[in-house]
PDB file of all heavy atoms in Angstrom:
ATOM      1  N   LEU A   1      19.862  -8.551 -18.678  1.00  0.00           N
ATOM      2  CA  LEU A   1      20.727  -8.727 -17.512  1.00  0.00           C
ATOM      3  C   LEU A   1      21.055 -10.201 -17.277  1.00  0.00           C
ATOM      4  O   LEU A   1      22.153 -10.543 -16.840  1.00  0.00           O
ATOM      5  CB  LEU A   1      20.054  -8.147 -16.262  1.00  0.00           C
ATOM      6  CG  LEU A   1      19.993  -6.610 -16.185  1.00  0.00           C
ATOM      7  CD1 LEU A   1      19.178  -6.194 -14.982  1.00  0.00           C
ATOM      8  CD2 LEU A   1      21.377  -5.999 -16.125  1.00  0.00           C
ATOM      9  N   TYR A   2      20.090 -11.074 -17.551  1.00  0.00           N
ATOM     10  CA  TYR A   2      20.342 -12.501 -17.365  1.00  0.00           C
ATOM     11  C   TYR A   2      21.478 -12.980 -18.268  1.00  0.00           C
ATOM     12  O   TYR A   2      22.379 -13.707 -17.844  1.00  0.00           O
ATOM     13  CB  TYR A   2      19.078 -13.311 -17.665  1.00  0.00           C
ATOM     14  CG  TYR A   2      17.906 -12.957 -16.803  1.00  0.00           C
ATOM     15  CD1 TYR A   2      16.781 -12.344 -17.353  1.00  0.00           C
ATOM     16  CD2 TYR A   2      17.915 -13.219 -15.437  1.00  0.00           C
ATOM     17  CE1 TYR A   2      15.696 -12.004 -16.556  1.00  0.00           C
ATOM     18  CE2 TYR A   2      16.831 -12.889 -14.637  1.00  0.00           C
ATOM     19  CZ  TYR A   2      15.730 -12.281 -15.196  1.00  0.00           C
ATOM     20  OH  TYR A   2      14.656 -11.948 -14.419  1.00  0.00           O
ATOM     21  N   ASP A   3      21.432 -12.548 -19.546  1.00  0.00           N
ATOM     22  CA  ASP A   3      22.453 -12.974 -20.496  1.00  0.00           C
ATOM     23  C   ASP A   3      23.816 -12.360 -20.161  1.00  0.00           C
ATOM     24  O   ASP A   3      24.855 -13.018 -20.256  1.00  0.00           O
ATOM     25  CB  ASP A   3      22.040 -12.585 -21.919  1.00  0.00           C
ATOM     26  CG  ASP A   3      20.777 -13.295 -22.358  1.00  0.00           C
ATOM     27  OD1 ASP A   3      20.592 -14.451 -21.931  1.00  0.00           O
ATOM     28  OD2 ASP A   3      19.987 -12.703 -23.104  1.00  0.00           O
ATOM     29  N   ILE A   4      23.821 -11.086 -19.743  1.00  0.00           N
ATOM     30  CA  ILE A   4      25.070 -10.413 -19.396  1.00  0.00           C
ATOM     31  C   ILE A   4      25.726 -11.084 -18.197  1.00  0.00           C
ATOM     32  O   ILE A   4      26.943 -11.310 -18.174  1.00  0.00           O
ATOM     33  CB  ILE A   4      24.821  -8.917 -19.106  1.00  0.00           C
ATOM     34  CG1 ILE A   4      24.346  -8.211 -20.380  1.00  0.00           C
ATOM     35  CG2 ILE A   4      26.092  -8.252 -18.569  1.00  0.00           C
ATOM     36  CD1 ILE A   4      23.886  -6.794 -20.147  1.00  0.00           C
ATOM     37  N   SER A   5      24.909 -11.437 -17.191  1.00  0.00           N
ATOM     38  CA  SER A   5      25.468 -12.073 -15.992  1.00  0.00           C
ATOM     39  C   SER A   5      26.073 -13.427 -16.324  1.00  0.00           C
ATOM     40  O   SER A   5      27.100 -13.814 -15.765  1.00  0.00           O
ATOM     41  CB  SER A   5      24.383 -12.233 -14.912  1.00  0.00           C
ATOM     42  OG  SER A   5      23.386 -13.135 -15.334  1.00  0.00           O
ATOM     43  N   SER A   6      25.456 -14.139 -17.288  1.00  0.00           N
ATOM     44  CA  SER A   6      25.987 -15.445 -17.677  1.00  0.00           C
ATOM     45  C   SER A   6      27.319 -15.300 -18.399  1.00  0.00           C
ATOM     46  O   SER A   6      28.274 -16.051 -18.144  1.00  0.00           O
ATOM     47  CB  SER A   6      24.986 -16.165 -18.589  1.00  0.00           C
ATOM     48  OG  SER A   6      23.792 -16.426 -17.901  1.00  0.00           O
ATOM     49  N   VAL A   7      27.425 -14.330 -19.291  1.00  0.00           N
ATOM     50  CA  VAL A   7      28.661 -14.125 -20.058  1.00  0.00           C
ATOM     51  C   VAL A   7      29.812 -13.709 -19.147  1.00  0.00           C
ATOM     52  O   VAL A   7      30.949 -14.196 -19.261  1.00  0.00           O
ATOM     53  CB  VAL A   7      28.443 -13.058 -21.154  1.00  0.00           C
ATOM     54  CG1 VAL A   7      29.778 -12.676 -21.800  1.00  0.00           C
ATOM     55  CG2 VAL A   7      27.480 -13.584 -22.210  1.00  0.00           C
ATOM     56  N   LEU A   8      29.518 -12.814 -18.185  1.00  0.00           N
ATOM     57  CA  LEU A   8      30.562 -12.301 -17.297  1.00  0.00           C
ATOM     58  C   LEU A   8      30.830 -13.229 -16.118  1.00  0.00           C
ATOM     59  O   LEU A   8      31.831 -13.067 -15.413  1.00  0.00           O
ATOM     60  CB  LEU A   8      30.163 -10.919 -16.766  1.00  0.00           C
ATOM     61  CG  LEU A   8      30.021  -9.818 -17.825  1.00  0.00           C
ATOM     62  CD1 LEU A   8      29.607  -8.507 -17.166  1.00  0.00           C
ATOM     63  CD2 LEU A   8      31.329  -9.623 -18.589  1.00  0.00           C
ATOM     64  N   GLY A   9      29.921 -14.178 -15.887  1.00  0.00           N
ATOM     65  CA  GLY A   9      30.125 -15.114 -14.776  1.00  0.00           C
ATOM     66  C   GLY A   9      29.921 -14.492 -13.418  1.00  0.00           C
ATOM     67  O   GLY A   9      30.551 -14.894 -12.433  1.00  0.00           O
ATOM     68  N   VAL A  10      29.050 -13.492 -13.337  1.00  0.00           N
ATOM     69  CA  VAL A  10      28.741 -12.843 -12.054  1.00  0.00           C
ATOM     70  C   VAL A  10      27.231 -12.839 -11.868  1.00  0.00           C
ATOM     71  O   VAL A  10      26.471 -13.024 -12.812  1.00  0.00           O
ATOM     72  CB  VAL A  10      29.287 -11.393 -12.003  1.00  0.00           C
ATOM     73  CG1 VAL A  10      30.796 -11.388 -12.136  1.00  0.00           C
ATOM     74  CG2 VAL A  10      28.645 -10.525 -13.080  1.00  0.00           C
ATOM     75  N   SER A  11      26.811 -12.605 -10.625  1.00  0.00           N
ATOM     76  CA  SER A  11      25.377 -12.572 -10.359  1.00  0.00           C
ATOM     77  C   SER A  11      24.775 -11.246 -10.811  1.00  0.00           C
ATOM     78  O   SER A  11      25.472 -10.242 -10.968  1.00  0.00           O
ATOM     79  CB  SER A  11      25.111 -12.759  -8.861  1.00  0.00           C
ATOM     80  OG  SER A  11      25.501 -11.603  -8.148  1.00  0.00           O
ATOM     81  N   ILE A  12      23.461 -11.256 -10.988  1.00  0.00           N
ATOM     82  CA  ILE A  12      22.772 -10.015 -11.357  1.00  0.00           C
ATOM     83  C   ILE A  12      22.846  -9.008 -10.225  1.00  0.00           C
ATOM     84  O   ILE A  12      22.885  -7.791 -10.448  1.00  0.00           O
ATOM     85  CB  ILE A  12      21.306 -10.318 -11.736  1.00  0.00           C
ATOM     86  CG1 ILE A  12      21.278 -11.111 -13.045  1.00  0.00           C
ATOM     87  CG2 ILE A  12      20.506  -9.047 -11.905  1.00  0.00           C
ATOM     88  CD1 ILE A  12      19.888 -11.471 -13.525  1.00  0.00           C
ATOM     89  N   ASP A  13      22.887  -9.505  -8.980  1.00  0.00           N
ATOM     90  CA  ASP A  13      23.018  -8.584  -7.846  1.00  0.00           C
ATOM     91  C   ASP A  13      24.280  -7.739  -7.972  1.00  0.00           C
ATOM     92  O   ASP A  13      24.275  -6.540  -7.667  1.00  0.00           O
ATOM     93  CB  ASP A  13      23.043  -9.368  -6.526  1.00  0.00           C
ATOM     94  CG  ASP A  13      21.661  -9.871  -6.142  1.00  0.00           C
ATOM     95  OD1 ASP A  13      20.688  -9.274  -6.635  1.00  0.00           O
ATOM     96  OD2 ASP A  13      21.571 -10.836  -5.386  1.00  0.00           O
ATOM     97  N   ILE A  14      25.377  -8.347  -8.415  1.00  0.00           N
ATOM     98  CA  ILE A  14      26.622  -7.599  -8.572  1.00  0.00           C
ATOM     99  C   ILE A  14      26.486  -6.590  -9.698  1.00  0.00           C
ATOM    100  O   ILE A  14      26.913  -5.431  -9.589  1.00  0.00           O
ATOM    101  CB  ILE A  14      27.808  -8.562  -8.834  1.00  0.00           C
ATOM    102  CG1 ILE A  14      28.085  -9.388  -7.574  1.00  0.00           C
ATOM    103  CG2 ILE A  14      29.056  -7.806  -9.277  1.00  0.00           C
ATOM    104  CD1 ILE A  14      29.168 -10.428  -7.758  1.00  0.00           C
ATOM    105  N   LEU A  15      25.863  -7.004 -10.810  1.00  0.00           N
ATOM    106  CA  LEU A  15      25.669  -6.089 -11.936  1.00  0.00           C
ATOM    107  C   LEU A  15      24.851  -4.866 -11.537  1.00  0.00           C
ATOM    108  O   LEU A  15      25.081  -3.761 -12.032  1.00  0.00           O
ATOM    109  CB  LEU A  15      24.955  -6.807 -13.083  1.00  0.00           C
ATOM    110  CG  LEU A  15      25.763  -7.809 -13.899  1.00  0.00           C
ATOM    111  CD1 LEU A  15      24.856  -8.469 -14.927  1.00  0.00           C
ATOM    112  CD2 LEU A  15      26.938  -7.138 -14.581  1.00  0.00           C
ATOM    113  N   THR A  16      23.887  -5.066 -10.650  1.00  0.00           N
ATOM    114  CA  THR A  16      22.996  -3.974 -10.259  1.00  0.00           C
ATOM    115  C   THR A  16      23.441  -3.264  -8.987  1.00  0.00           C
ATOM    116  O   THR A  16      22.720  -2.436  -8.449  1.00  0.00           O
ATOM    117  CB  THR A  16      21.567  -4.504 -10.068  1.00  0.00           C
ATOM    118  OG1 THR A  16      21.576  -5.556  -9.103  1.00  0.00           O
ATOM    119  CG2 THR A  16      21.004  -5.027 -11.385  1.00  0.00           C
ATOM    120  N   GLY A  17      24.626  -3.637  -8.492  1.00  0.00           N
ATOM    121  CA  GLY A  17      25.146  -2.974  -7.296  1.00  0.00           C
ATOM    122  C   GLY A  17      24.473  -3.399  -6.023  1.00  0.00           C
ATOM    123  O   GLY A  17      24.430  -2.652  -5.042  1.00  0.00           O
ATOM    124  N   ASN A  18      23.925  -4.601  -5.997  1.00  0.00           N
ATOM    125  CA  ASN A  18      23.228  -5.087  -4.805  1.00  0.00           C
ATOM    126  C   ASN A  18      23.910  -6.331  -4.252  1.00  0.00           C
ATOM    127  O   ASN A  18      23.270  -7.265  -3.803  1.00  0.00           O
ATOM    128  CB  ASN A  18      21.760  -5.395  -5.165  1.00  0.00           C
ATOM    129  CG  ASN A  18      20.909  -5.673  -3.948  1.00  0.00           C
ATOM    130  OD1 ASN A  18      21.120  -5.092  -2.892  1.00  0.00           O
ATOM    131  ND2 ASN A  18      19.928  -6.552  -4.113  1.00  0.00           N
ATOM    132  N   SER A  19      25.239  -6.309  -4.279  1.00  0.00           N
ATOM    133  CA  SER A  19      25.984  -7.509  -3.909  1.00  0.00           C
ATOM    134  C   SER A  19      26.129  -7.707  -2.408  1.00  0.00           C
ATOM    135  O   SER A  19      26.663  -8.692  -1.954  1.00  0.00           O
ATOM    136  CB  SER A  19      27.394  -7.441  -4.528  1.00  0.00           C
ATOM    137  OG  SER A  19      28.081  -6.296  -4.056  1.00  0.00           O
ATOM    138  N   THR A  20      25.620  -6.768  -1.618  1.00  0.00           N
ATOM    139  CA  THR A  20      25.766  -6.875  -0.165  1.00  0.00           C
ATOM    140  C   THR A  20      24.819  -7.917   0.422  1.00  0.00           C
ATOM    141  O   THR A  20      25.007  -8.375   1.529  1.00  0.00           O
ATOM    142  CB  THR A  20      25.483  -5.517   0.504  1.00  0.00           C
ATOM    143  OG1 THR A  20      24.175  -5.087   0.126  1.00  0.00           O
ATOM    144  CG2 THR A  20      26.500  -4.481   0.045  1.00  0.00           C
ATOM    145  N   SER A  21      23.792  -8.291  -0.345  1.00  0.00           N
ATOM    146  CA  SER A  21      22.825  -9.248   0.178  1.00  0.00           C
ATOM    147  C   SER A  21      22.952 -10.574  -0.541  1.00  0.00           C
ATOM    148  O   SER A  21      22.978 -10.624  -1.758  1.00  0.00           O
ATOM    149  CB  SER A  21      21.402  -8.701   0.018  1.00  0.00           C
ATOM    150  OG  SER A  21      20.465  -9.667   0.401  1.00  0.00           O
ATOM    151  N   SER A  22      23.033 -11.634   0.233  1.00  0.00           N
ATOM    152  CA  SER A  22      23.112 -12.959  -0.367  1.00  0.00           C
ATOM    153  C   SER A  22      21.820 -13.736  -0.154  1.00  0.00           C
ATOM    154  O   SER A  22      21.754 -14.924  -0.454  1.00  0.00           O
ATOM    155  CB  SER A  22      24.277 -13.749   0.246  1.00  0.00           C
ATOM    156  OG  SER A  22      24.088 -13.883   1.644  1.00  0.00           O
ATOM    157  N   LEU A  23      20.798 -13.070   0.372  1.00  0.00           N
ATOM    158  CA  LEU A  23      19.530 -13.738   0.634  1.00  0.00           C
ATOM    159  C   LEU A  23      18.777 -13.997  -0.673  1.00  0.00           C
ATOM    160  O   LEU A  23      18.728 -13.150  -1.554  1.00  0.00           O
ATOM    161  CB  LEU A  23      18.651 -12.885   1.549  1.00  0.00           C
ATOM    162  CG  LEU A  23      19.128 -12.706   2.990  1.00  0.00           C
ATOM    163  CD1 LEU A  23      18.204 -11.752   3.728  1.00  0.00           C
ATOM    164  CD2 LEU A  23      19.202 -14.047   3.705  1.00  0.00           C
ATOM    165  N   LYS A  24      18.187 -15.159  -0.763  1.00  0.00           N
ATOM    166  CA  LYS A  24      17.378 -15.475  -1.932  1.00  0.00           C
ATOM    167  C   LYS A  24      16.073 -14.690  -1.884  1.00  0.00           C
ATOM    168  O   LYS A  24      15.469 -14.522  -0.833  1.00  0.00           O
ATOM    169  CB  LYS A  24      17.061 -16.970  -1.962  1.00  0.00           C
ATOM    170  CG  LYS A  24      18.250 -17.870  -2.230  1.00  0.00           C
ATOM    171  CD  LYS A  24      17.813 -19.339  -2.240  1.00  0.00           C
ATOM    172  CE  LYS A  24      18.983 -20.255  -2.523  1.00  0.00           C
ATOM    173  NZ  LYS A  24      18.585 -21.694  -2.520  1.00  0.00           N
ATOM    174  N   THR A  25      15.639 -14.204  -3.034  1.00  0.00           N
ATOM    175  CA  THR A  25      14.338 -13.554  -3.145  1.00  0.00           C
ATOM    176  C   THR A  25      13.439 -14.403  -4.025  1.00  0.00           C
ATOM    177  O   THR A  25      13.903 -15.165  -4.880  1.00  0.00           O
ATOM    178  CB  THR A  25      14.446 -12.135  -3.726  1.00  0.00           C
ATOM    179  OG1 THR A  25      15.026 -12.204  -5.032  1.00  0.00           O
ATOM    180  CG2 THR A  25      15.286 -11.242  -2.832  1.00  0.00           C
ATOM    181  N   MET A  26      12.146 -14.255  -3.814  1.00  0.00           N
ATOM    182  CA  MET A  26      11.147 -15.024  -4.547  1.00  0.00           C
ATOM    183  C   MET A  26       9.924 -14.165  -4.802  1.00  0.00           C
ATOM    184  O   MET A  26       9.718 -13.149  -4.141  1.00  0.00           O
ATOM    185  CB  MET A  26      10.744 -16.265  -3.728  1.00  0.00           C
ATOM    186  CG  MET A  26      11.825 -17.314  -3.581  1.00  0.00           C
ATOM    187  SD  MET A  26      11.630 -18.357  -2.093  1.00  0.00           S
ATOM    188  CE  MET A  26      12.345 -17.306  -0.822  1.00  0.00           C
ATOM    189  N   ILE A  27       9.118 -14.573  -5.784  1.00  0.00           N
ATOM    190  CA  ILE A  27       7.880 -13.866  -6.112  1.00  0.00           C
ATOM    191  C   ILE A  27       6.709 -14.831  -5.970  1.00  0.00           C
ATOM    192  O   ILE A  27       6.725 -15.936  -6.519  1.00  0.00           O
ATOM    193  CB  ILE A  27       7.920 -13.294  -7.542  1.00  0.00           C
ATOM    194  CG1 ILE A  27       8.963 -12.171  -7.636  1.00  0.00           C
ATOM    195  CG2 ILE A  27       6.548 -12.772  -7.958  1.00  0.00           C
ATOM    196  CD1 ILE A  27       9.155 -11.622  -9.035  1.00  0.00           C
ATOM    197  N   ALA A  28       5.707 -14.399  -5.205  1.00  0.00           N
ATOM    198  CA  ALA A  28       4.493 -15.195  -5.004  1.00  0.00           C
ATOM    199  C   ALA A  28       3.302 -14.418  -5.550  1.00  0.00           C
ATOM    200  O   ALA A  28       3.206 -13.204  -5.355  1.00  0.00           O
ATOM    201  CB  ALA A  28       4.286 -15.494  -3.518  1.00  0.00           C
ATOM    202  N   VAL A  29       2.410 -15.121  -6.237  1.00  0.00           N
ATOM    203  CA  VAL A  29       1.250 -14.479  -6.848  1.00  0.00           C
ATOM    204  C   VAL A  29      -0.013 -15.240  -6.483  1.00  0.00           C
ATOM    205  O   VAL A  29      -0.048 -16.467  -6.549  1.00  0.00           O
ATOM    206  CB  VAL A  29       1.384 -14.427  -8.391  1.00  0.00           C
ATOM    207  CG1 VAL A  29       0.200 -13.681  -9.004  1.00  0.00           C
ATOM    208  CG2 VAL A  29       2.709 -13.793  -8.804  1.00  0.00           C
ATOM    209  N   ASP A  30      -1.039 -14.488  -6.086  1.00  0.00           N
ATOM    210  CA  ASP A  30      -2.361 -15.070  -5.834  1.00  0.00           C
ATOM    211  C   ASP A  30      -3.359 -14.324  -6.699  1.00  0.00           C
ATOM    212  O   ASP A  30      -3.576 -13.125  -6.525  1.00  0.00           O
ATOM    213  CB  ASP A  30      -2.739 -14.948  -4.359  1.00  0.00           C
ATOM    214  CG  ASP A  30      -4.102 -15.554  -4.075  1.00  0.00           C
ATOM    215  OD1 ASP A  30      -4.226 -16.781  -4.174  1.00  0.00           O
ATOM    216  OD2 ASP A  30      -5.046 -14.789  -3.783  1.00  0.00           O
ATOM    217  N   GLY A  31      -3.948 -15.036  -7.663  1.00  0.00           N
ATOM    218  CA  GLY A  31      -4.841 -14.384  -8.610  1.00  0.00           C
ATOM    219  C   GLY A  31      -6.270 -14.863  -8.506  1.00  0.00           C
ATOM    220  O   GLY A  31      -6.530 -16.041  -8.263  1.00  0.00           O
ATOM    221  N   GLY A  32      -7.212 -13.951  -8.699  1.00  0.00           N
ATOM    222  CA  GLY A  32      -8.627 -14.287  -8.650  1.00  0.00           C
ATOM    223  C   GLY A  32      -9.397 -13.602  -9.754  1.00  0.00           C
ATOM    224  O   GLY A  32      -8.818 -13.053 -10.698  1.00  0.00           O
ATOM    225  N   GLY A  33     -10.717 -13.592  -9.624  1.00  0.00           N
ATOM    226  CA  GLY A  33     -11.547 -12.979 -10.646  1.00  0.00           C
ATOM    227  C   GLY A  33     -11.569 -11.470 -10.588  1.00  0.00           C
ATOM    228  O   GLY A  33     -11.835 -10.807 -11.597  1.00  0.00           O
ATOM    229  N   SER A  34     -11.272 -10.891  -9.408  1.00  0.00           N
ATOM    230  CA  SER A  34     -11.357  -9.439  -9.251  1.00  0.00           C
ATOM    231  C   SER A  34     -10.009  -8.764  -9.008  1.00  0.00           C
ATOM    232  O   SER A  34      -9.840  -7.590  -9.320  1.00  0.00           O
ATOM    233  CB  SER A  34     -12.286  -9.089  -8.080  1.00  0.00           C
ATOM    234  OG  SER A  34     -13.577  -9.615  -8.295  1.00  0.00           O
ATOM    235  N   LYS A  35      -9.052  -9.490  -8.418  1.00  0.00           N
ATOM    236  CA  LYS A  35      -7.755  -8.873  -8.156  1.00  0.00           C
ATOM    237  C   LYS A  35      -6.651  -9.924  -8.177  1.00  0.00           C
ATOM    238  O   LYS A  35      -6.902 -11.110  -8.006  1.00  0.00           O
ATOM    239  CB  LYS A  35      -7.750  -8.140  -6.813  1.00  0.00           C
ATOM    240  CG  LYS A  35      -7.837  -9.025  -5.592  1.00  0.00           C
ATOM    241  CD  LYS A  35      -7.770  -8.193  -4.321  1.00  0.00           C
ATOM    242  CE  LYS A  35      -7.946  -9.054  -3.070  1.00  0.00           C
ATOM    243  NZ  LYS A  35      -6.823  -9.962  -2.832  1.00  0.00           N
ATOM    244  N   THR A  36      -5.434  -9.431  -8.406  1.00  0.00           N
ATOM    245  CA  THR A  36      -4.248 -10.285  -8.397  1.00  0.00           C
ATOM    246  C   THR A  36      -3.215  -9.636  -7.490  1.00  0.00           C
ATOM    247  O   THR A  36      -2.926  -8.442  -7.621  1.00  0.00           O
ATOM    248  CB  THR A  36      -3.661 -10.444  -9.807  1.00  0.00           C
ATOM    249  OG1 THR A  36      -4.698 -10.882 -10.693  1.00  0.00           O
ATOM    250  CG2 THR A  36      -2.525 -11.455  -9.826  1.00  0.00           C
ATOM    251  N   GLU A  37      -2.681 -10.419  -6.563  1.00  0.00           N
ATOM    252  CA  GLU A  37      -1.711  -9.904  -5.596  1.00  0.00           C
ATOM    253  C   GLU A  37      -0.332 -10.493  -5.879  1.00  0.00           C
ATOM    254  O   GLU A  37      -0.182 -11.692  -6.071  1.00  0.00           O
ATOM    255  CB  GLU A  37      -2.154 -10.256  -4.179  1.00  0.00           C
ATOM    256  CG  GLU A  37      -1.252  -9.689  -3.095  1.00  0.00           C
ATOM    257  CD  GLU A  37      -1.816  -9.887  -1.698  1.00  0.00           C
ATOM    258  OE1 GLU A  37      -2.873 -10.541  -1.563  1.00  0.00           O
ATOM    259  OE2 GLU A  37      -1.193  -9.385  -0.741  1.00  0.00           O
ATOM    260  N   PHE A  38       0.663  -9.617  -5.910  1.00  0.00           N
ATOM    261  CA  PHE A  38       2.044 -10.003  -6.163  1.00  0.00           C
ATOM    262  C   PHE A  38       2.892  -9.625  -4.945  1.00  0.00           C
ATOM    263  O   PHE A  38       2.822  -8.484  -4.476  1.00  0.00           O
ATOM    264  CB  PHE A  38       2.617  -9.260  -7.378  1.00  0.00           C
ATOM    265  CG  PHE A  38       1.860  -9.472  -8.659  1.00  0.00           C
ATOM    266  CD1 PHE A  38       0.662  -8.801  -8.907  1.00  0.00           C
ATOM    267  CD2 PHE A  38       2.347 -10.328  -9.632  1.00  0.00           C
ATOM    268  CE1 PHE A  38      -0.026  -8.984 -10.100  1.00  0.00           C
ATOM    269  CE2 PHE A  38       1.670 -10.516 -10.834  1.00  0.00           C
ATOM    270  CZ  PHE A  38       0.476  -9.844 -11.061  1.00  0.00           C
ATOM    271  N   LEU A  39       3.696 -10.573  -4.451  1.00  0.00           N
ATOM    272  CA  LEU A  39       4.598 -10.298  -3.337  1.00  0.00           C
ATOM    273  C   LEU A  39       6.027 -10.638  -3.727  1.00  0.00           C
ATOM    274  O   LEU A  39       6.290 -11.702  -4.298  1.00  0.00           O
ATOM    275  CB  LEU A  39       4.242 -11.120  -2.101  1.00  0.00           C
ATOM    276  CG  LEU A  39       2.976 -10.813  -1.314  1.00  0.00           C
ATOM    277  CD1 LEU A  39       2.956 -11.627  -0.022  1.00  0.00           C
ATOM    278  CD2 LEU A  39       2.852  -9.342  -0.999  1.00  0.00           C
ATOM    279  N   LEU A  40       6.942  -9.745  -3.399  1.00  0.00           N
ATOM    280  CA  LEU A  40       8.370 -10.023  -3.479  1.00  0.00           C
ATOM    281  C   LEU A  40       8.851 -10.210  -2.049  1.00  0.00           C
ATOM    282  O   LEU A  40       8.649  -9.341  -1.200  1.00  0.00           O
ATOM    283  CB  LEU A  40       9.118  -8.844  -4.126  1.00  0.00           C
ATOM    284  CG  LEU A  40      10.645  -8.931  -4.151  1.00  0.00           C
ATOM    285  CD1 LEU A  40      11.106 -10.060  -5.066  1.00  0.00           C
ATOM    286  CD2 LEU A  40      11.248  -7.603  -4.608  1.00  0.00           C
ATOM    287  N   PHE A  41       9.462 -11.361  -1.756  1.00  0.00           N
ATOM    288  CA  PHE A  41       9.883 -11.644  -0.384  1.00  0.00           C
ATOM    289  C   PHE A  41      11.208 -12.383  -0.408  1.00  0.00           C
ATOM    290  O   PHE A  41      11.637 -12.903  -1.454  1.00  0.00           O
ATOM    291  CB  PHE A  41       8.819 -12.465   0.347  1.00  0.00           C
ATOM    292  CG  PHE A  41       8.602 -13.849  -0.207  1.00  0.00           C
ATOM    293  CD1 PHE A  41       9.096 -14.970   0.446  1.00  0.00           C
ATOM    294  CD2 PHE A  41       7.898 -14.046  -1.393  1.00  0.00           C
ATOM    295  CE1 PHE A  41       8.898 -16.248  -0.061  1.00  0.00           C
ATOM    296  CE2 PHE A  41       7.695 -15.321  -1.909  1.00  0.00           C
ATOM    297  CZ  PHE A  41       8.196 -16.424  -1.235  1.00  0.00           C
ATOM    298  N   ASP A  42      11.880 -12.411   0.759  1.00  0.00           N
ATOM    299  CA  ASP A  42      13.145 -13.125   0.817  1.00  0.00           C
ATOM    300  C   ASP A  42      13.033 -14.330   1.754  1.00  0.00           C
ATOM    301  O   ASP A  42      12.002 -14.552   2.386  1.00  0.00           O
ATOM    302  CB  ASP A  42      14.306 -12.197   1.226  1.00  0.00           C
ATOM    303  CG  ASP A  42      14.188 -11.652   2.645  1.00  0.00           C
ATOM    304  OD1 ASP A  42      13.528 -12.293   3.499  1.00  0.00           O
ATOM    305  OD2 ASP A  42      14.771 -10.589   2.928  1.00  0.00           O
ATOM    306  N   GLU A  43      14.098 -15.099   1.830  1.00  0.00           N
ATOM    307  CA  GLU A  43      14.062 -16.343   2.593  1.00  0.00           C
ATOM    308  C   GLU A  43      13.952 -16.128   4.094  1.00  0.00           C
ATOM    309  O   GLU A  43      13.674 -17.084   4.836  1.00  0.00           O
ATOM    310  CB  GLU A  43      15.283 -17.200   2.266  1.00  0.00           C
ATOM    311  CG  GLU A  43      16.613 -16.540   2.567  1.00  0.00           C
ATOM    312  CD  GLU A  43      17.766 -17.400   2.076  1.00  0.00           C
ATOM    313  OE1 GLU A  43      17.834 -18.583   2.451  1.00  0.00           O
ATOM    314  OE2 GLU A  43      18.611 -16.889   1.321  1.00  0.00           O
ATOM    315  N   GLU A  44      14.142 -14.901   4.556  1.00  0.00           N
ATOM    316  CA  GLU A  44      13.925 -14.586   5.970  1.00  0.00           C
ATOM    317  C   GLU A  44      12.455 -14.248   6.252  1.00  0.00           C
ATOM    318  O   GLU A  44      12.087 -13.995   7.391  1.00  0.00           O
ATOM    319  CB  GLU A  44      14.807 -13.401   6.383  1.00  0.00           C
ATOM    320  CG  GLU A  44      16.306 -13.706   6.358  1.00  0.00           C
ATOM    321  CD  GLU A  44      16.691 -14.676   7.456  1.00  0.00           C
ATOM    322  OE1 GLU A  44      16.218 -14.514   8.589  1.00  0.00           O
ATOM    323  OE2 GLU A  44      17.463 -15.611   7.178  1.00  0.00           O
TER     324      GLU A  44
END
């Protein structure tokens, strides 16, 4: 999807039909010896 979006000059959100949101998303990870936590969150 990254390569396709670059060739077509559009965002991945548009390719996946999620163009209604312009908010940035991010992934945060906290890892330890027993568990690893992953969060997907946006700028709000």
Side-chain angles (χ1 to χ4, degrees):
L1 287 174
Y2 301 113
D3 296 326
I4 295 172
S5 66
S6 297
V7 171
L8 297 179
V10 298
S11 71
I12 292 180
D13 285 338
I14 292 176
L15 286 177
T16 57
N18 190 34
S19 60
T20 57
S21 174
S22 60
L23 292 176
K24 291 180 179 179
T25 60
M26 292 155 278
I27 292 175
V29 183
D30 180 68
S34 301
K35 68 178 176 68
T36 307
E37 184 172 4
F38 302 78
L39 290 188
L40 174 67
F41 65 105
D42 65 25
E43 60 186 306
E44 293 291 316

